[in-house]
Coordinates of all heavy atoms in Angstrom, one line a residue:
L296 N -30.6 -2.7 -38.5 CA -29.1 -2.6 -38.7 C -28.4 -2.5 -37.4 O -27.5 -3.4 -37.1 CB -28.7 -1.6 -39.7 CG -27.4 -1.4 -40.1 CD1 -26.9 -2.6 -40.9 CD2 -27.1 -0.1 -40.8
A297 N -28.7 -1.6 -36.6 CA -28.1 -1.4 -35.2 C -28.3 -2.6 -34.4 O -27.3 -3.0 -33.7 CB -28.6 -0.1 -34.6
F298 N -29.5 -3.2 -34.4 CA -29.7 -4.4 -33.6 C -28.7 -5.5 -34.0 O -28.1 -6.0 -33.0 CB -31.1 -4.9 -33.7 CG -31.4 -6.2 -33.1 CD1 -31.6 -6.2 -31.8 CD2 -31.4 -7.3 -33.8 CE1 -31.9 -7.4 -31.1 CE2 -31.7 -8.6 -33.2 CZ -31.9 -8.6 -31.8
F299 N -28.6 -5.8 -35.1 CA -27.7 -6.9 -35.6 C -26.2 -6.5 -35.4 O -25.3 -7.5 -35.1 CB -28.0 -7.4 -37.0 CG -29.1 -8.4 -37.0 CD1 -30.4 -8.0 -37.3 CD2 -28.9 -9.7 -36.5 CE1 -31.5 -9.0 -37.4 CE2 -30.0 -10.6 -36.4 CZ -31.2 -10.3 -36.9
I300 N -25.8 -5.3 -35.5 CA -24.5 -4.9 -35.3 C -24.2 -5.2 -33.8 O -23.1 -5.7 -33.4 CB -24.3 -3.5 -35.6 CG1 -24.2 -3.2 -37.1 CG2 -22.9 -2.9 -35.0 CD1 -24.2 -1.9 -37.6
N301 N -25.1 -4.8 -32.9 CA -24.9 -4.9 -31.5 C -24.9 -6.4 -31.1 O -24.1 -6.8 -30.2 CB -25.9 -4.2 -30.7 CG -25.7 -2.7 -30.8 OD1 -24.6 -2.3 -30.8 ND2 -26.8 -1.9 -30.7
V302 N -25.7 -7.2 -31.7 CA -25.8 -8.6 -31.5 C -24.4 -9.3 -31.9 O -23.9 -10.1 -31.2 CB -27.0 -9.4 -32.2 CG1 -26.8 -10.8 -32.1 CG2 -28.3 -8.9 -31.5
Y303 N -24.0 -8.9 -33.0 CA -22.7 -9.5 -33.6 C -21.6 -9.1 -32.6 O -20.8 -10.0 -32.2 CB -22.4 -8.9 -35.0 CG -21.1 -9.4 -35.6 CD1 -21.1 -10.5 -36.4 CD2 -19.9 -8.7 -35.3 CE1 -19.9 -11.0 -37.0 CE2 -18.7 -9.2 -35.8 CZ -18.7 -10.3 -36.7 OH -17.6 -10.8 -37.2
N304 N -21.5 -7.9 -32.3 CA -20.3 -7.5 -31.3 C -20.5 -8.2 -29.9 O -19.5 -8.6 -29.4 CB -20.3 -5.9 -31.1 CG -19.8 -5.3 -32.4 OD1 -19.0 -5.9 -33.3 ND2 -20.2 -4.1 -32.7
S305 N -21.7 -8.3 -29.5 CA -21.9 -8.9 -28.1 C -21.6 -10.5 -28.3 O -20.9 -11.0 -27.4 CB -23.4 -8.8 -27.8 OG -23.7 -7.4 -27.5
L306 N -22.0 -11.1 -29.3 CA -21.7 -12.5 -29.6 C -20.2 -12.7 -29.6 O -19.7 -13.7 -29.1 CB -22.4 -13.0 -30.8 CG -22.2 -14.5 -31.1 CD1 -22.5 -15.4 -29.9 CD2 -23.0 -14.9 -32.3
T307 N -19.5 -11.8 -30.3 CA -18.0 -12.0 -30.4 C -17.4 -11.9 -29.0 O -16.6 -12.7 -28.7 CB -17.5 -10.9 -31.3 OG1 -18.1 -11.0 -32.6 CG2 -16.0 -11.0 -31.5
I308 N -17.8 -10.9 -28.3 CA -17.2 -10.7 -27.0 C -17.5 -11.8 -26.1 O -16.7 -12.4 -25.3 CB -17.6 -9.3 -26.4 CG1 -17.0 -8.2 -27.2 CG2 -17.2 -9.3 -24.9 CD1 -17.6 -6.8 -26.9
H309 N -18.8 -12.3 -26.1 CA -19.2 -13.4 -25.2 C -18.5 -14.6 -25.6 O -18.1 -15.3 -24.7 CB -20.8 -13.6 -25.4 CG -21.4 -14.6 -24.6 ND1 -22.6 -15.0 -24.8 CD2 -20.9 -15.4 -23.6 CE1 -22.9 -16.0 -23.9 NE2 -21.9 -16.2 -23.2
S310 N -18.4 -14.9 -26.9 CA -17.6 -16.2 -27.3 C -16.2 -16.2 -26.9 O -15.7 -17.2 -26.5 CB -17.8 -16.3 -28.9 OG -19.1 -16.3 -29.2
V311 N -15.5 -15.1 -27.1 CA -14.1 -15.0 -26.7 C -13.9 -15.1 -25.2 O -13.1 -15.8 -24.7 CB -13.4 -13.8 -27.3 CG1 -12.1 -13.6 -26.7 CG2 -13.4 -13.8 -28.8
A312 N -14.9 -14.5 -24.4 CA -14.8 -14.6 -23.0 C -15.1 -15.9 -22.5 O -14.5 -16.5 -21.6 CB -15.8 -13.6 -22.3
A313 N -16.1 -16.6 -23.2 CA -16.4 -18.1 -22.7 C -15.5 -19.1 -23.3 O -15.2 -20.0 -22.5 CB -17.8 -18.4 -23.2
L314 N -15.0 -18.9 -24.5 CA -14.1 -20.0 -25.1 C -12.7 -19.7 -25.2 O -11.9 -20.5 -25.6 CB -14.7 -20.3 -26.5 CG -16.2 -20.7 -26.5 CD1 -16.7 -20.8 -27.9 CD2 -16.4 -22.0 -25.8
G315 N -12.3 -18.4 -25.1 CA -11.0 -18.0 -25.2 C -10.8 -17.5 -26.6 O -11.6 -17.8 -27.6
A316 N -9.7 -16.7 -26.8 CA -9.4 -16.1 -28.1 C -8.9 -17.2 -29.1 O -8.2 -18.1 -28.7 CB -8.3 -15.1 -28.0
P317 N -9.4 -17.1 -30.3 CA -8.9 -18.2 -31.3 C -7.4 -18.1 -31.5 O -6.9 -17.0 -31.6 CB -9.7 -17.9 -32.6 CG -10.6 -16.8 -32.3 CD -10.3 -16.2 -30.9
A318 N -6.8 -19.2 -31.5 CA -5.3 -19.3 -31.6 C -4.8 -19.2 -33.0 O -3.6 -18.8 -33.2 CB -4.8 -20.5 -30.9
D319 N -5.6 -19.6 -34.0 CA -5.1 -19.6 -35.4 C -6.3 -19.3 -36.4 O -7.4 -19.2 -35.8 CB -4.4 -20.9 -35.7 CG -5.3 -22.1 -35.4 OD1 -6.5 -22.0 -35.5 OD2 -4.6 -23.2 -35.1
L320 N -6.0 -19.3 -37.6 CA -7.1 -19.0 -38.5 C -8.2 -20.0 -38.5 O -9.4 -19.7 -38.6 CB -6.6 -18.9 -40.0 CG -7.5 -18.6 -41.1 CD1 -8.2 -17.3 -40.9 CD2 -6.9 -18.7 -42.5
L321 N -7.9 -21.3 -38.5 CA -8.9 -22.4 -38.4 C -9.8 -22.2 -37.2 O -11.0 -22.4 -37.3 CB -8.2 -23.8 -38.4 CG -9.2 -24.9 -38.5 CD1 -10.1 -24.9 -39.8 CD2 -8.4 -26.3 -38.5
S322 N -9.2 -21.9 -36.0 CA -10.0 -21.7 -34.8 C -10.9 -20.5 -35.0 O -12.1 -20.5 -34.6 CB -9.1 -21.5 -33.6 OG -8.3 -22.7 -33.4
R323 N -10.4 -19.5 -35.6 CA -11.3 -18.2 -35.9 C -12.4 -18.6 -36.8 O -13.5 -18.2 -36.5 CB -10.4 -17.1 -36.4 CG -11.1 -15.9 -36.6 CD -10.2 -14.7 -37.0 NE -9.2 -14.4 -36.1 CZ -9.4 -13.7 -34.9 NH1 -10.6 -13.2 -34.7 NH2 -8.4 -13.5 -34.0
L324 N -12.1 -19.3 -37.9 CA -13.2 -19.7 -38.7 C -14.3 -20.6 -38.1 O -15.5 -20.4 -38.3 CB -12.6 -20.3 -40.0 CG -11.8 -19.5 -40.9 CD1 -11.1 -20.3 -42.0 CD2 -12.5 -18.2 -41.5
R325 N -13.8 -21.4 -37.3 CA -14.8 -22.3 -36.6 C -15.6 -21.5 -35.5 O -16.8 -21.7 -35.4 CB -14.0 -23.4 -35.8 CG -14.8 -24.5 -35.2 CD -14.0 -25.6 -34.5 NE -13.0 -26.2 -35.4 CZ -11.7 -26.1 -35.1 NH1 -11.2 -25.6 -33.9 NH2 -10.8 -26.6 -35.9
L326 N -15.0 -20.6 -34.9 CA -15.7 -19.7 -34.0 C -16.8 -18.9 -34.7 O -18.0 -18.9 -34.2 CB -14.7 -18.7 -33.3 CG -15.5 -17.7 -32.3 CD1 -15.8 -18.4 -31.0 CD2 -14.5 -16.5 -32.1
Y327 N -16.4 -18.4 -35.9 CA -17.5 -17.6 -36.6 C -18.7 -18.5 -37.1 O -19.8 -18.0 -37.2 CB -16.8 -16.9 -37.8 CG -15.9 -15.9 -37.6 CD1 -14.9 -15.5 -38.5 CD2 -15.9 -15.2 -36.4 CE1 -14.0 -14.5 -38.2 CE2 -15.0 -14.1 -36.1 CZ -14.0 -13.9 -37.1 OH -13.1 -12.8 -36.9
A328 N -18.3 -19.8 -37.4 CA -19.4 -20.6 -37.8 C -20.2 -21.3 -36.7 O -21.5 -21.6 -36.8 CB -18.7 -21.8 -38.7
E329 N -19.6 -21.5 -35.5 CA -20.3 -22.2 -34.4 C -20.9 -21.3 -33.4 O -21.9 -21.8 -32.8 CB -19.3 -23.3 -33.9 CG -18.9 -24.3 -34.9 CD -17.9 -25.3 -34.3 OE1 -17.5 -25.2 -33.2 OE2 -17.5 -26.2 -35.1
A330 N -20.2 -20.2 -33.0 CA -20.8 -19.4 -32.0 C -22.1 -18.7 -32.5 O -22.1 -18.3 -33.6 CB -19.8 -18.2 -31.7
S331 N -23.1 -18.9 -31.7 CA -24.4 -18.5 -32.2 C -25.4 -18.1 -31.0 O -25.1 -18.5 -29.9 CB -25.1 -19.5 -33.1 OG -25.3 -20.7 -32.2
Y332 N -26.3 -17.3 -31.4 CA -27.4 -17.0 -30.4 C -28.8 -17.4 -31.2 O -28.9 -17.3 -32.4 CB -27.5 -15.5 -30.2 CG -26.5 -14.9 -29.2 CD1 -26.1 -13.6 -29.4 CD2 -26.0 -15.7 -28.2 CE1 -25.2 -13.0 -28.5 CE2 -25.1 -15.1 -27.2 CZ -24.7 -13.8 -27.4 OH -23.8 -13.2 -26.5
Q333 N -29.7 -17.7 -30.3 CA -31.0 -17.9 -30.8 C -31.8 -16.6 -30.6 O -31.9 -16.1 -29.5 CB -31.8 -19.1 -30.1 CG -33.2 -19.4 -30.8 CD -33.7 -20.6 -30.3 OE1 -33.1 -21.5 -29.9 NE2 -35.0 -20.7 -30.5
I334 N -32.4 -16.1 -31.7 CA -33.2 -14.9 -31.6 C -34.5 -15.2 -32.2 O -34.7 -15.5 -33.3 CB -32.5 -13.8 -32.5 CG1 -31.1 -13.5 -31.9 CG2 -33.5 -12.5 -32.4 CD1 -30.3 -12.5 -32.8
G335 N -35.5 -15.3 -31.3 CA -36.9 -15.7 -31.8 C -36.7 -17.3 -32.1 O -36.1 -18.0 -31.4
P336 N -37.3 -17.7 -33.3 CA -37.3 -19.1 -33.6 C -36.0 -19.5 -34.3 O -35.8 -20.7 -34.7 CB -38.5 -19.3 -34.5 CG -38.7 -17.9 -35.1 CD -38.3 -16.9 -34.1
H337 N -35.1 -18.5 -34.6 CA -34.0 -18.8 -35.6 C -32.7 -18.7 -34.7 O -32.5 -17.9 -33.9 CB -34.0 -17.9 -36.7 CG -35.3 -17.9 -37.5 ND1 -35.6 -19.0 -38.2 CD2 -36.2 -17.0 -37.6 CE1 -36.8 -18.8 -38.8 NE2 -37.2 -17.5 -38.4
T338 N -31.7 -19.4 -35.3 CA -30.3 -19.4 -34.7 C -29.4 -18.6 -35.7 O -29.5 -18.8 -36.9 CB -29.7 -20.8 -34.5 OG1 -30.6 -21.5 -33.6 CG2 -28.4 -20.8 -33.9
Y339 N -28.6 -17.7 -35.2 CA -27.7 -16.9 -36.0 C -26.3 -17.0 -35.5 O -26.0 -16.7 -34.4 CB -28.1 -15.4 -35.9 CG -29.5 -15.1 -36.4 CD1 -30.6 -15.3 -35.6 CD2 -29.6 -14.7 -37.7 CE1 -31.8 -14.9 -36.1 CE2 -30.9 -14.4 -38.2 CZ -32.0 -14.5 -37.3 OH -33.2 -14.2 -37.8
S340 N -25.4 -17.4 -36.4 CA -24.0 -17.6 -36.1 C -23.4 -16.2 -36.4 O -24.0 -15.4 -37.1 CB -23.3 -18.6 -36.9 OG -23.3 -18.3 -38.2
L341 N -22.1 -16.0 -36.1 CA -21.4 -14.7 -36.5 C -21.4 -14.6 -38.0 O -21.7 -13.5 -38.5 CB -20.0 -14.7 -36.0 CG -19.9 -14.5 -34.4 CD1 -18.5 -14.8 -33.9 CD2 -20.3 -13.1 -34.0
N342 N -21.2 -15.8 -38.7 CA -21.2 -15.7 -40.2 C -22.6 -15.3 -40.6 O -22.7 -14.5 -41.6 CB -20.8 -17.0 -40.8 CG -19.3 -17.3 -40.8 OD1 -18.5 -16.3 -40.7 ND2 -18.8 -18.5 -40.7
D343 N -23.6 -15.9 -40.1 CA -25.0 -15.5 -40.5 C -25.3 -14.1 -40.4 O -25.9 -13.5 -41.2 CB -26.0 -16.3 -39.7 CG -25.9 -17.9 -40.0 OD1 -25.4 -18.3 -41.0 OD2 -26.4 -18.6 -39.0
I344 N -24.9 -13.5 -39.2 CA -25.1 -12.1 -39.0 C -24.4 -11.2 -40.0 O -24.9 -10.4 -40.6 CB -24.9 -11.7 -37.5 CG1 -25.8 -12.5 -36.5 CG2 -25.0 -10.2 -37.3 CD1 -25.5 -12.4 -35.1
E345 N -23.1 -11.5 -40.0 CA -22.2 -10.6 -40.8 C -22.6 -10.7 -42.3 O -22.7 -9.7 -43.0 CB -20.7 -11.0 -40.6 CG -19.8 -10.1 -41.4 CD -18.3 -10.4 -41.1 OE1 -18.0 -11.2 -40.3 OE2 -17.5 -9.7 -41.8
N346 N -22.5 -11.9 -42.8 CA -22.7 -12.0 -44.3 C -24.1 -12.3 -44.7 O -24.5 -11.9 -45.8 CB -21.8 -13.2 -44.8 CG -20.3 -13.0 -44.4 OD1 -19.8 -11.9 -44.9 ND2 -19.7 -13.8 -43.7
G347 N -24.9 -12.9 -43.9 CA -26.3 -13.2 -44.3 C -27.2 -12.0 -44.0 O -27.9 -11.6 -45.0
I348 N -27.0 -11.3 -42.9 CA -27.9 -10.2 -42.6 C -27.3 -8.9 -43.0 O -27.8 -8.1 -43.8 CB -28.2 -10.2 -41.1 CG1 -28.9 -11.4 -40.6 CG2 -29.1 -8.9 -40.7 CD1 -30.3 -11.7 -41.2
L349 N -26.1 -8.5 -42.5 CA -25.5 -7.2 -42.7 C -25.0 -7.0 -44.1 O -24.9 -5.9 -44.5 CB -24.5 -7.0 -41.6 CG -25.0 -7.0 -40.2 CD1 -23.8 -6.9 -39.2 CD2 -26.0 -5.9 -39.9
R350 N -24.5 -8.1 -44.7 CA -23.9 -7.9 -46.1 C -24.9 -8.4 -47.2 O -24.5 -8.8 -48.3 CB -22.6 -8.6 -46.2 CG -21.5 -7.9 -45.3 CD -20.2 -8.3 -45.7 NE -19.2 -7.4 -45.1 CZ -18.1 -7.8 -44.4 NH1 -17.9 -9.0 -44.3 NH2 -17.3 -6.9 -43.9
G351 N -26.2 -8.5 -46.8 CA -27.2 -8.8 -47.8 C -27.1 -10.3 -48.4 O -27.3 -10.4 -49.7
N352 N -26.8 -11.2 -47.6 CA -26.6 -12.6 -48.0 C -25.6 -12.9 -49.1 O -25.9 -13.4 -50.1 CB -28.0 -13.2 -48.4 CG -28.0 -14.7 -48.3 OD1 -27.4 -15.3 -47.4 ND2 -28.6 -15.3 -49.3
R353 N -24.4 -12.3 -48.9 CA -23.3 -12.4 -49.9 C -22.3 -13.4 -49.3 O -22.1 -13.5 -48.1 CB -22.7 -11.1 -50.1 CG -23.6 -10.2 -51.0 CD -23.0 -8.8 -51.1 NE -23.7 -8.0 -52.0 CZ -24.9 -7.4 -51.8 NH1 -25.4 -7.6 -50.6 NH2 -25.5 -6.6 -52.7
P354 N -21.6 -14.1 -50.2 CA -20.5 -15.0 -49.6 C -19.5 -14.1 -48.9 O -19.3 -12.9 -49.2 CB -19.8 -15.5 -50.9 CG -20.9 -15.4 -52.0 CD -21.7 -14.1 -51.6
P355 N -18.7 -14.7 -47.9 CA -17.8 -14.0 -47.2 C -16.7 -13.4 -48.2 O -16.4 -14.0 -49.1 CB -17.2 -15.0 -46.3 CG -18.1 -16.1 -46.2 CD -18.9 -16.1 -47.5
P356 N -16.2 -12.2 -47.8 CA -15.2 -11.6 -48.7 C -13.8 -12.1 -48.5 O -12.8 -11.4 -48.5 CB -15.3 -10.1 -48.3 CG -15.7 -10.1 -46.8 CD -16.5 -11.4 -46.7
T357 N -13.7 -13.4 -48.2 CA -12.4 -14.1 -48.1 C -12.1 -14.9 -49.3 O -13.0 -15.2 -50.1 CB -12.4 -15.0 -46.9 OG1 -13.5 -15.9 -47.0 CG2 -12.6 -14.2 -45.6
V358 N -10.8 -15.3 -49.5 CA -10.5 -16.2 -50.6 C -11.0 -17.5 -50.4 O -10.7 -18.2 -49.4 CB -8.9 -16.2 -50.7 CG1 -8.5 -17.1 -51.9 CG2 -8.4 -14.8 -50.9
N359 N -11.9 -17.9 -51.2 CA -12.5 -19.2 -51.1 C -12.9 -19.7 -52.4 O -13.5 -19.0 -53.3 CB -13.9 -19.1 -50.3 CG -14.6 -20.4 -50.1 OD1 -14.3 -21.4 -50.7 ND2 -15.5 -20.3 -49.1
P360 N -12.4 -20.9 -52.8 CA -12.6 -21.4 -54.2 C -14.0 -21.8 -54.4 O -14.5 -22.0 -55.5 CB -11.6 -22.6 -54.2 CG -11.5 -23.1 -52.8 CD -11.5 -21.8 -52.0
F361 N -14.9 -22.0 -53.3 CA -16.2 -22.4 -53.4 C -17.1 -21.4 -52.6 O -17.8 -21.8 -51.6 CB -16.4 -23.8 -52.9 CG -15.5 -24.8 -53.6 CD1 -14.4 -25.4 -52.9 CD2 -15.7 -25.2 -54.9 CE1 -13.6 -26.3 -53.6 CE2 -14.8 -26.1 -55.5 CZ -13.8 -26.6 -54.8
P362 N -17.1 -20.2 -53.0 CA -18.0 -19.3 -52.3 C -19.5 -19.6 -52.3 O -19.9 -20.1 -53.3 CB -17.7 -17.9 -52.8 CG -17.3 -18.3 -54.3 CD -16.6 -19.6 -54.2
R363 N -20.2 -19.4 -51.2 CA -21.6 -19.6 -51.2 C -22.3 -18.7 -50.3 O -21.6 -18.2 -49.3 CB -21.9 -21.1 -50.9 CG -21.6 -21.5 -49.5 CD -21.9 -23.0 -49.3 NE -21.6 -23.5 -48.0 CZ -22.4 -23.4 -46.9 NH1 -23.6 -23.0 -47.0 NH2 -22.0 -23.8 -45.7
K364 N -23.5 -18.4 -50.5 CA -24.3 -17.5 -49.7 C -24.6 -18.2 -48.3 O -24.8 -19.4 -48.3 CB -25.6 -17.1 -50.4 CG -25.4 -16.4 -51.7 CD -26.7 -16.1 -52.3 CE -26.6 -15.3 -53.6 NZ -27.9 -15.0 -54.2
P365 N -24.7 -17.5 -47.2 CA -25.0 -18.1 -46.0 C -26.4 -18.7 -46.0 O -26.6 -19.7 -45.4 CB -24.9 -16.9 -45.0 CG -24.0 -15.9 -45.7 CD -24.3 -16.0 -47.1
F366 N -27.4 -18.0 -46.6 CA -28.7 -18.5 -46.5 C -29.2 -18.9 -47.9 O -29.0 -18.2 -48.9 CB -29.7 -17.4 -46.0 CG -29.4 -16.7 -44.7 CD1 -29.5 -15.4 -44.5 CD2 -28.9 -17.5 -43.6 CE1 -29.2 -14.8 -43.3 CE2 -28.6 -16.9 -42.4 CZ -28.8 -15.5 -42.2
P367 N -29.9 -20.1 -48.0 CA -30.6 -20.4 -49.2 C -31.8 -19.4 -49.4 O -32.3 -18.7 -48.5 CB -31.1 -21.9 -49.0 CG -31.2 -22.0 -47.6 CD -30.1 -21.1 -46.9
D368 N -32.2 -19.2 -50.6 CA -33.3 -18.3 -51.0 C -34.6 -18.6 -50.1 O -35.3 -17.7 -49.9 CB -33.7 -18.3 -52.5 CG -32.5 -17.7 -53.2 OD1 -31.7 -17.0 -52.7 OD2 -32.4 -18.1 -54.5
S369 N -34.8 -19.8 -49.8 CA -36.1 -20.1 -49.0 C -35.9 -19.9 -47.6 O -36.9 -20.1 -46.8 CB -36.4 -21.6 -49.2 OG -35.3 -22.5 -48.8
D370 N -34.8 -19.5 -47.0 CA -34.6 -19.3 -45.6 C -35.4 -18.1 -45.1 O -35.3 -17.1 -45.7 CB -33.1 -19.1 -45.4 CG -32.7 -19.2 -43.9 OD1 -33.4 -18.6 -43.0 OD2 -31.7 -20.0 -43.5
P371 N -36.2 -18.4 -44.0 CA -37.0 -17.2 -43.5 C -36.2 -16.0 -42.9 O -36.7 -14.9 -43.0 CB -37.8 -17.8 -42.4 CG -37.2 -19.1 -42.1 CD -36.4 -19.6 -43.3
R372 N -34.9 -16.3 -42.6 CA -34.0 -15.2 -42.2 C -33.7 -14.2 -43.3 O -33.3 -13.1 -43.0 CB -32.8 -15.8 -41.6 CG -33.1 -16.6 -40.3 CD -31.8 -17.3 -39.8 NE -31.4 -18.3 -40.7 CZ -30.2 -19.0 -40.6 NH1 -29.5 -18.8 -39.5 NH2 -29.8 -19.8 -41.5
M373 N -33.9 -14.7 -44.5 CA -33.6 -13.8 -45.7 C -34.4 -12.5 -45.6 O -34.0 -11.4 -46.2 CB -33.9 -14.5 -47.0 CG -32.9 -15.4 -47.5 SD -31.4 -14.4 -47.9 CE -32.0 -13.4 -49.2
Q374 N -35.6 -12.5 -44.9 CA -36.4 -11.3 -44.8 C -35.7 -10.2 -44.1 O -36.1 -9.0 -44.2 CB -37.7 -11.7 -44.1 CG -38.6 -12.7 -44.8 CD -39.8 -13.1 -43.9 OE1 -40.1 -12.4 -42.9 NE2 -40.4 -14.1 -44.3
L375 N -34.7 -10.6 -43.3 CA -34.0 -9.5 -42.5 C -32.7 -9.1 -43.2 O -32.1 -8.2 -42.6 CB -33.7 -10.2 -41.1 CG -34.8 -10.7 -40.2 CD1 -34.4 -11.4 -39.0 CD2 -35.7 -9.4 -39.9
A376 N -32.4 -9.7 -44.3 CA -31.1 -9.3 -44.9 C -31.1 -7.9 -45.4 O -32.2 -7.5 -46.0 CB -30.8 -10.2 -46.1
C377 N -30.1 -7.1 -45.2 CA -30.1 -5.7 -45.7 C -30.1 -5.8 -47.3 O -29.4 -6.5 -47.8 CB -28.7 -5.0 -45.2 SG -28.7 -4.9 -43.5
R378 N -30.9 -4.9 -47.8 CA -31.0 -4.8 -49.2 C -29.9 -4.0 -49.8 O -29.2 -4.2 -50.8 CB -32.3 -4.2 -49.7 CG -33.5 -5.2 -49.3 CD -34.8 -4.7 -49.9 NE -36.0 -5.2 -49.3 CZ -36.4 -6.5 -49.4 NH1 -35.7 -7.3 -50.0 NH2 -37.5 -6.8 -48.7
D379 N -29.6 -2.9 -49.1 CA -28.5 -1.9 -49.5 C -27.4 -2.1 -48.6 O -27.4 -1.7 -47.4 CB -29.1 -0.5 -49.6 CG -30.1 -0.2 -50.5 OD1 -30.1 -0.8 -51.6 OD2 -31.1 0.5 -50.1
V380 N -26.3 -2.6 -49.1 CA -25.2 -3.0 -48.2 C -24.3 -1.7 -48.0 O -24.0 -1.1 -49.0 CB -24.4 -4.1 -48.7 CG1 -23.2 -4.4 -47.8 CG2 -25.2 -5.4 -48.9
D381 N -24.0 -1.4 -46.9 CA -23.2 -0.2 -46.5 C -21.7 -0.6 -46.4 O -21.4 -1.4 -45.5 CB -23.7 0.4 -45.3 CG -23.0 1.8 -45.0 OD1 -21.9 2.0 -45.4 OD2 -23.7 2.6 -44.2
A382 N -20.8 -0.2 -47.2 CA -19.4 -0.5 -47.2 C -18.8 -0.1 -45.8 O -17.8 -0.7 -45.4 CB -18.7 0.2 -48.3
R383 N -19.4 0.7 -45.0 CA -18.8 1.1 -43.7 C -19.1 0.0 -42.6 O -18.6 0.2 -41.5 CB -19.4 2.4 -43.3 CG -19.1 3.6 -44.3 CD -19.7 4.8 -43.9 NE -21.2 4.6 -44.0 CZ -22.1 5.5 -43.7 NH1 -21.8 6.7 -43.3 NH2 -23.4 5.2 -43.8
I384 N -19.8 -1.0 -42.9 CA -20.2 -2.0 -42.0 C -19.1 -2.6 -41.3 O -19.0 -2.9 -40.1 CB -21.2 -3.1 -42.6 CG1 -21.9 -3.8 -41.5 CG2 -20.4 -4.0 -43.5 CD1 -23.0 -3.0 -40.8
H385 N -17.9 -2.8 -42.1 CA -16.7 -3.4 -41.5 C -16.3 -2.6 -40.3 O -15.7 -3.1 -39.3 CB -15.7 -3.4 -42.5 CG -14.3 -3.9 -42.0 ND1 -14.1 -5.1 -41.6 CD2 -13.2 -3.2 -41.6 CE1 -12.8 -5.2 -41.1 NE2 -12.3 -4.0 -41.1
F386 N -16.4 -1.2 -40.3 CA -15.9 -0.4 -39.2 C -16.8 -0.5 -38.0 O -16.4 0.0 -36.9 CB -15.8 1.0 -39.7 CG -14.7 1.1 -40.8 CD1 -15.2 1.2 -42.1 CD2 -13.4 1.0 -40.5 CE1 -14.2 1.3 -43.1 CE2 -12.5 1.1 -41.6 CZ -12.9 1.2 -42.9
A387 N -18.0 -1.1 -38.0 CA -18.8 -1.1 -36.9 C -18.7 -2.5 -36.2 O -19.2 -2.7 -35.1 CB -20.3 -0.9 -37.3
L388 N -18.2 -3.5 -36.9 CA -18.1 -4.9 -36.4 C -16.8 -5.2 -35.7 O -15.7 -4.7 -36.2 CB -18.3 -5.9 -37.5 CG -19.6 -5.8 -38.3 CD1 -19.6 -6.8 -39.3 CD2 -20.8 -5.9 -37.4
N389 N -16.7 -5.8 -34.6 CA -15.6 -6.2 -33.8 C -15.4 -7.7 -34.0 O -16.2 -8.4 -33.5 CB -15.6 -5.8 -32.4 CG -14.4 -6.1 -31.7 OD1 -13.7 -7.1 -31.8 ND2 -13.9 -5.1 -30.9
C390 N -14.4 -8.1 -34.7 CA -14.3 -9.6 -35.0 C -13.2 -10.2 -34.1 O -12.7 -11.3 -34.3 CB -13.9 -9.8 -36.4 SG -12.3 -9.1 -36.9
A391 N -12.8 -9.5 -33.0 CA -11.9 -10.0 -32.0 C -10.5 -10.1 -32.5 O -9.6 -10.9 -32.1 CB -12.4 -11.3 -31.4
A392 N -10.1 -9.3 -33.6 CA -8.8 -9.3 -34.1 C -8.1 -8.0 -33.6 O -8.8 -7.0 -33.3 CB -8.7 -9.4 -35.6
K393 N -6.9 -8.0 -33.5 CA -6.1 -6.8 -33.1 C -6.4 -5.6 -34.0 O -6.4 -4.4 -33.6 CB -4.6 -7.0 -33.1 CG -4.2 -7.9 -31.9 CD -2.7 -8.1 -31.9 CE -2.3 -9.1 -30.8 NZ -0.9 -9.4 -30.8
S394 N -6.7 -5.8 -35.3 CA -6.9 -4.8 -36.2 C -8.3 -4.3 -36.3 O -8.6 -3.3 -36.9 CB -6.5 -5.3 -37.6 OG -7.3 -6.4 -38.0
C395 N -9.2 -4.9 -35.5 CA -10.6 -4.5 -35.5 C -10.8 -3.2 -34.6 O -10.1 -3.0 -33.6 CB -11.5 -5.6 -35.0 SG -12.0 -6.8 -36.2
P396 N -11.8 -2.4 -34.9 CA -12.1 -1.3 -34.0 C -12.5 -1.8 -32.5 O -13.1 -2.9 -32.4 CB -13.3 -0.6 -34.6 CG -13.6 -1.3 -36.0 CD -12.7 -2.6 -36.0
V397 N -12.2 -1.0 -31.6 CA -12.7 -1.2 -30.2 C -14.1 -1.1 -30.1 O -14.7 -0.1 -30.6 CB -11.9 -0.3 -29.3 CG1 -12.3 -0.6 -27.9 CG2 -10.4 -0.5 -29.4
S398 N -14.8 -2.0 -29.5 CA -16.3 -1.8 -29.3 C -16.6 -1.4 -28.0 O -15.9 -1.4 -27.1 CB -17.1 -3.1 -29.7 OG -16.6 -4.2 -29.0

């Protein structure tokens, strides 16, 4: 859990430093989908880490008429998904918004 929280926060900071802060919602959503790190043989985007790993492979908690899980059931990254989701996870993640906790 701590490893992926730290990877998420590092990737967020690295992405904003390298690409600049997202200017609008669409840019922010694109950043979450495209900014990624390769860890071992697999690639993890911010969405993959937040919703696939830390939130137990649940659809993002945003308004979406077509919600879907980040990983299909056959994805090997599913082995790392948290089984018991901790509601406090939001307070550990820095999503580069003014309302996020300082990391």
Side-chain angles (χ1 to χ4, degrees):
L296 183 66
F298 173 79
F299 276 105
I300 290 170
N301 287 330
V302 168
Y303 180 93
N304 289 335
S305 297
L306 178 54
T307 301
I308 294 166
H309 182 190
S310 300
V311 170
L314 304 171
D319 54 31
L320 179 61
L321 185 59
S322 298
R323 182 173 297 281
L324 294 174
R325 191 176 309 119
L326 178 78
Y327 293 157
E329 295 175 1
S331 62
Y332 281 152
Q333 182 168 343
I334 302 170
H337 305 292
T338 300
Y339 297 86
S340 70
L341 289 167
N342 282 336
D343 294 339
I344 295 169
E345 181 177 358
N346 299 304
I348 302 295
L349 298 175
R350 291 197 169 130
N352 202 41
R353 289 174 172 76
T357 56
V358 177
N359 183 344
F361 306 107
R363 64 182 180 93
K364 297 177 179 182
F366 304 141
D368 291 338
S369 62
D370 193 311
R372 298 174 294 175
M373 278 293 300
Q374 297 174 15
L375 300 172
C377 294
R378 296 188 199 290
D379 299 320
V380 180
D381 189 334
R383 299 173 297 176
I384 199 73
H385 172 74
F386 298 101
L388 301 178
N389 186 316
C390 64
K393 290 180 182 180
S394 61
C395 278
V397 178
S398 54

